[in-house]
Amino acid sequence: MKRKFLLLFTLVFAALMLTTNFGQSVAAKAAEEKTGVGLANHVLLAYKNGWKYRSGCYGQFVGDKRASDCSGLIKSYIWWQGEGKNPKPGSASVAGSSSAMLKSAEVSGNIDYNDKSSLPRIHGLILYQPGHVGVYVGNNMAVDNRSTGEDMKYEQVFGRKNIKWTKWFKLPQVTYPTTGWATYDGEQYYYEDGQYVVNTKRVIDGITYTFGEDGRITEQVQAVA
């Protein structure tokens, strides 16, 4: 009787552990963090891959190319399921239109074209003009999916010839860098107080880094022991 009880207890305990571990795995996958730098990398890749503009689309394949509208480009990152798959609408809640996205933001600001510091140095900020949104990818550059026939654009913010961005905001579904390293387009940037540093030197973990005006590392020197 004792052997039967011990065997039954062992089987039940093993089943419970398997269920617990499986639940943890699913939860970890579902809770994959979306970041501003991740969004910036995502839209830059969409630009390089030549996504097309199509109203109402959010990154799904249309023929042999992915397509989106302006807000759909952003939603494609939030709903992303991986290469070769269509994004899954509703897998995470996100505002639908450009104006609704702006309204949902808790942190936002105006862009003053006489003051470049009015746009924070943060990868993945959302840029807004009435009826349209894009993504700030750093170094005065933005990516947006504009209109039929124009498709994906990679252009300056300050110095832009077309209708100018009027506001920036943080998308609530995205976590933005505060302090530490972030990698965008294969380059490392160092954040302090919520913005990547420029035109400065920092000693980090025994290495002296020199950062240029675009925030990229121009020199790094190992400290002498």
Side-chain angles (χ1 to χ4, degrees):
M1 178 64 76
K2 288 183 178 180
R3 286 183 179 180
K4 288 183 178 180
F5 176 79
L6 180 60
L7 177 60
L8 178 61
F9 176 81
T10 301
L11 290 173
V12 170
F13 180 77
L16 285 171
M17 290 300 294
L18 180 61
T19 302
T20 301
N21 289 336
F22 176 75
Q24 288 176 342
S25 176
V26 171
K29 185 175 181 181
E32 181 180 353
E33 186 180 37
K34 298 295 182 178
T35 67
V37 177
L39 175 58
N41 279 308
H42 177 83
V43 299
L44 182 66
L45 186 60
Y47 167 75
K48 291 179 177 179
N49 288 341
W51 287 24
K52 299 299 182 182
Y53 181 91
R54 187 161 181 171
S55 180
C57 285
Y58 43 83
Q60 65 266 53
F61 287 100
V62 178
D64 61 350
K65 285 285 186 182
R66 291 188 185 269
S68 79
D69 55 21
C70 67
S71 60
L73 175 63
I74 296 164
K75 287 182 278 190
S76 71
Y77 173 66
I78 304 299
W79 295 341
W80 195 250
Q81 299 297 301
E83 291 297 330
K85 299 180 180 179
N86 287 330
K88 185 179 180 181
S91 56
S93 177
V94 58
S97 66
S98 56
S99 59
M101 283 184 173
L102 174 61
K103 189 175 180 179
S104 73
E106 295 181 0
V107 180
S108 63
N110 295 321
I111 297 176
D112 179 355
Y113 277 80
N114 294 313
D115 180 10
K116 289 187 177 181
S117 67
S118 63
L119 177 59
R121 298 189 306 273
I122 303 173
H123 294 94
L125 285 181
I126 310 302
L127 302 178
Y128 172 86
Q129 59 181 243
H132 190 58
V133 283
V135 178
Y136 184 57
V137 295
N139 193 26
N140 192 36
M141 300 301 294
V143 174
D144 65 295
N145 204 352
R146 192 159 302 173
S147 61
T148 302
E150 290 194 76
D151 303 317
M152 298 291 300
K153 297 295 181 183
Y154 175 71
E155 291 184 347
Q156 292 183 336
V157 176
F158 297 94
R160 189 182 187 204
K161 294 180 180 179
N162 295 327
I163 299 173
K164 296 179 179 181
W165 303 109
T166 59
K167 294 179 179 292
W168 62 265
F169 64 91
K170 291 184 175 181
L171 195 69
Q173 292 79 11
V174 167
T175 300
Y176 291 90
T178 53
T179 299
W181 291 105
T183 303
Y184 165 72
D185 195 26
E187 300 279 357
Q188 283 193 302
Y189 296 79
Y190 192 73
Y191 275 78
E192 286 182 352
D193 300 322
Q195 299 189 64
Y196 62 83
V197 299
V198 296
N199 295 323
T200 190
K201 290 186 178 183
R202 291 290 186 274
V203 178
I204 305 166
D205 296 329
I207 298 176
T208 300
Y209 294 92
T210 301
F211 299 91
E213 63 180 0
D214 59 2
R216 287 184 283 192
I217 299 169
T218 59
E219 184 182 34
Q220 57 187 77
V221 179
Q222 181 71 49
V224 178

